[in-house]
Structure formats: C-alpha cells, structure tokens
Amino acid sequence: MTEPSGGSAGGALAEATPPAGAGPTEADWAAGVAAVQGLPPDGRVLLICHVNPDGDALGSMLGFGLGLRRLGVRRIQATFPGPPEVPVPFLGLPGLDLLVPATEAYPDPDLVICFDAAGESRLGELADRLETAGAALVLDHHASNTRFGRINLVDPHAAATSVVAEGLLTRLGVPLDAGIAECLYVALSTDTGSFRFEATTPAVHQLAARLLATGIRPGDISRRIFDTRPFGAVRLFGEVLGRARLEPAAAAGHGLVWTYATQDDLARHDQRPYVLEALIDSVRCTAEADVSCVVKQTTTGDWAVSMRSKGAVDVSRVAVALGGGGHRFAAGFTGSGTVDEVVDRIRAELDGALTGPGGR
Ligand code: AMP
Ligand code: MN
Ligand code: MN
C-alpha cells in the first residue's frame, strides 16, 4: 500500500529519505541485471515477499517469477513467511504454481530476491536467506526501506514495488505477456487504490497501458480483487464499523477515527483474517478525521494496526516509533496488550508526531 492522499506527487515520500530518495542508480540496475544473468546453470532462485502479503507483494513477486521463467530460469521458488495461506482475492493470480510454503524454501539459494519489504523483520523466519544466499537483491518502494540487500533497487517515488520489478524485467529484456501483466497490474492497482492515490503519476498510467495492451481484463481483475467478499464479511464489517470511535480532538485536533476486530469476531462470522484488510478503506473515508486506524487481532493475540492519513499527519513516523513502518499516508505496526493500550500508544505518538521535533 502506498500513500492514499494528500501531499505533492512524490515530494512527501522524498522528504522521509533524503539521500536515497532518488531511487536506484544505473549502477544499481546493472548490478541487479548482473545478479540474474550471472546465475549458474540450473541456479536456484528464491523469491520472498513480506508477511501477510498484499496485492503488491504477491503481484510483483509472481510477475517477476514468471519473467524469470521466460528467461529460461528453471528452479524458481516464491514464498512468504508464516502460514502458506494466499488471501482468496489473489487465488486467481498467474504464477501461483511458483509458491511453496516457507518451510520448504531453498535454505541456500544462489539468488534471493525480496519484494515489497521495507526491512528484514517483514521477512520473518526467511530473513536468514539474506545471509545464506549467493546474492541478495531487494526490490521495494518504501521510503523507510533499510537497504538490507547486497543489491538494493529501492525507489521511494515508485507507486508500487511492481514498478521496480517491471523496470528490472525490461532491463533483462523480458517482454510482457498476459500472465506477467496481470500480476503487475494487480500490484499496481492495489497499491494506488485503483489509481486514486497521489502516487498515480503519468508514468503509472503509461505502465498500466502497457500492461492492459497484453489483453488482460481490468473489469474481471478489479471485481475479483476489490469488489468481492463473502456475505459473512459484509455482516462482520457492519459490526466492526458500528463500533468505530471518532475522536475529533486527537492528533492535535486533526481527528482520529478507529475501530478494532478480534479473532472472536472473525470466528463468529466464519471469516479468514484477510477479509479485514479492506476495512481501513471504509474507516478512512470519515470526513471528520485526518487519521484512521484499524486494530486487528492476530492469531498470536497481538494486534496488527493499519493506519492512514489524509495529509496532516505522517503516520509512518507513528508506525516507526511503535516498531513498524510504511509510507507517509499509509503505515502499520504490530502491538501487544489490550486494544485500549494499543490505541493509547497511537494517541500519544500522534500528539508527538505533530508537536515534536520536525512535527507539523
Ligand atoms: P497495511 O495497513 O497493512 O495495508 O499497511 C500499510 C503500509 O504499512 C504498507 O506499506 C506496509 O508495508 C506497512 N506496514 C504495515 N504493517 C507493518 C509492520 N508491522 N512493519 C512495517 N511496515 C508495516
Ligand atoms: Mn505491501
Ligand atoms: Mn507496496
């Protein structure tokens, strides 16, 4: 997910990453190309995306994996940390046959490539591959990316990691086909909120045009990804939205709206956790609040927090302060304790973010 709104195009992200804001240099791209072209015959490539993968994580990883296959690379695995459960909306993605459970991932691949992960912690139990692999390449677009690869193709101005993935595929001479294009389109459309967010530059639409020209069907894809959910999820959303709280005085008067969902809520409506990913979009439209949060209980009893801002508050600063990361207008972290304790921490950081050094 990237910035939902506000700010000048790209400028907001650049601010958070002064020296590296420019994105990959030609030398970085050349190193990325060399890492792929220098694979030994029958070399093993491990592709990893971040935990709880979203459309950009899965789409950029699988699209790139299909591109490697077109180059003739035969031993390719794609994976992500945690349970090997692909959210239902992504079950139609091309390239799913590349996926293996994290427990079966090559322990010492010739090349590891990480997608859409701002830091090693987002790779969970797979982070050790950065050391054990022959070469380690990071493809990402988070301003907060820690450059944890040996080669880092990180472009904070890119609307999605798929933009970086397409850049590398092009430099490798891989032509777009419908399978690659569908993966990259899912990634691009999810991270730009269906081409609504500020990062939706002319270049994003030009890339979308190239992807659509392969014959993929945007109506079908969007219906599957954005406009389909089980009836139980519709009822669950009703309940969870019904308990949303608006705090107009929070965030130094810019306003906070938040709600939460527990494992028990999911169980009562017989729903899988992925359905909660779309909740933030229904909460963040609240006119009276700049900041919105959804606090989601994980299977371990911790809370995965999604935060969004309309522009007055840099929620990535709040998320980073609380151990997470993200973008200025879309960020997250994982917290423990009760819901009230987690929201208390958010309130305190929101006040700090607006009044502390560098606050606005
Ligand atoms: P989400 O609310 O899950 O859609 O995430 C919004 C943004 O915050 C994405 O760019 C994520 O990569 C980032 N993010 C979410 N949770 C975390 C976390 N625990 N640590 C670092 N970044 C996160
Ligand atoms: Mn992501
Ligand atoms: Mn992304």
Side-chain angles (χ1 to χ4, degrees):
M1 176 63 84
T2 188
E3 49 179 338
S5 75
S8 61
L13 293 175
E15 211 173 278
T17 317
T25 62
E26 281 312 315
D28 294 328
W29 286 116
V33 168
V36 174
Q37 290 178 343
L39 274 170
D42 250 9
R44 293 151 306 148
V45 182
L46 180 64
L47 312 176
I48 310 177
C49 70
H50 67 69
V51 66
N52 297 326
D54 52 23
D56 190 25
L58 282 170
S60 59
M61 175 172 75
L62 296 177
F64 194 83
L66 290 173
L68 287 179
R69 194 178 260 171
R70 282 207 64 153
L71 277 178
V73 181
R74 284 198 300 267
R75 300 170 76 189
I76 308 166
Q77 290 183 335
T79 191
F80 51 85
E85 183 179 329
V86 175
V88 172
F90 304 126
L91 281 179
L93 275 179
L96 283 179
D97 59 301
L98 294 168
L99 279 180
V100 299
T103 47
E104 290 170 25
Y106 299 131
D108 54 353
D110 296 287
L111 171 63
V112 66
I113 312 181
C114 304
F115 295 84
D116 204 38
E120 290 170 69
S121 66
R122 301 281 283 162
L123 304 179
E125 69 270 27
L126 293 160
D128 68 331
R129 303 312 197 277
L130 293 163
E131 305 303 325
T132 60
L137 183 52
V138 164
L139 270 60
D140 189 34
H141 69 129
H142 290 88
S144 61
N145 187 287
T146 56
R147 271 76 177 170
F148 56 94
R150 275 169 264 165
I151 303 163
N152 297 285
L153 300 178
V154 178
D155 185 356
H157 295 291
T161 296
S162 61
V163 174
V164 182
E166 196 265 348
L168 186 55
L169 287 175
T170 300
R171 285 168 172 83
L172 285 164
V174 179
L176 290 175
D177 61 26
I180 298 172
E182 179 159 340
C183 290
L184 299 184
Y185 187 86
V186 165
L188 193 60
S189 60
T190 49
D191 258 25
T192 57
S194 297
F195 306 97
R196 285 173 300 164
F197 301 159
E198 205 64 45
T200 311
T201 58
V204 164
H205 279 295
Q206 282 154 4
L207 173 55
R210 288 202 299 283
L211 299 174
L212 291 174
T214 64
I216 58 172
R217 300 176 59 92
D220 289 350
I221 296 171
S222 301
R223 194 172 315 107
R224 228 168 50 224
I225 303 292
F226 301 111
D227 296 335
T228 305
R229 67 181 59 120
F231 184 60
V234 173
R235 306 264 310 199
L236 169 64
F237 274 34
E239 220 176 280
V240 171
L241 291 172
R243 65 168 84 115
R245 292 279 173 273
L246 175 64
E247 301 181 14
H254 292 289
L256 166 70
V257 59
W258 64 275
T259 191
Y260 67 94
T262 63
Q263 288 289 313
D264 187 54
D265 294 326
L266 286 169
R268 254 195 341 280
H269 292 279
D270 194 22
Q271 293 304 303
R272 305 296 303 154
Y274 80 84
V275 302
L276 299 176
E277 297 308 306
L279 250 181
I280 189 70
D281 290 319
S282 304
V283 177
R284 73 181 173 85
C285 59
T286 303
E288 295 86 344
D290 185 76
V291 179
S292 49
C293 292
V294 174
V295 183
K296 297 164 280 191
Q297 193 176 35
T298 67
T299 46
T300 59
D302 289 335
W303 303 91
V305 181
S306 285
M307 307 182 68
R308 301 291 185 269
S309 154
K310 293 188 186 135
V313 179
D314 178 352
V315 286
S316 76
R317 290 176 56 176
V318 175
V320 168
L322 295 172
H327 307 280
R328 186 181 180 113
F329 301 113
F333 67 95
T334 301
S336 53
T338 64
V339 176
D340 286 334
E341 284 164 354
V342 171
V343 177
D344 272 346
R345 269 174 243 145
I346 295 169
R347 283 189 201 98
E349 286 301 332
L350 280 172
D351 289 338
L354 287 153
T355 56
R360 332 174 329 135

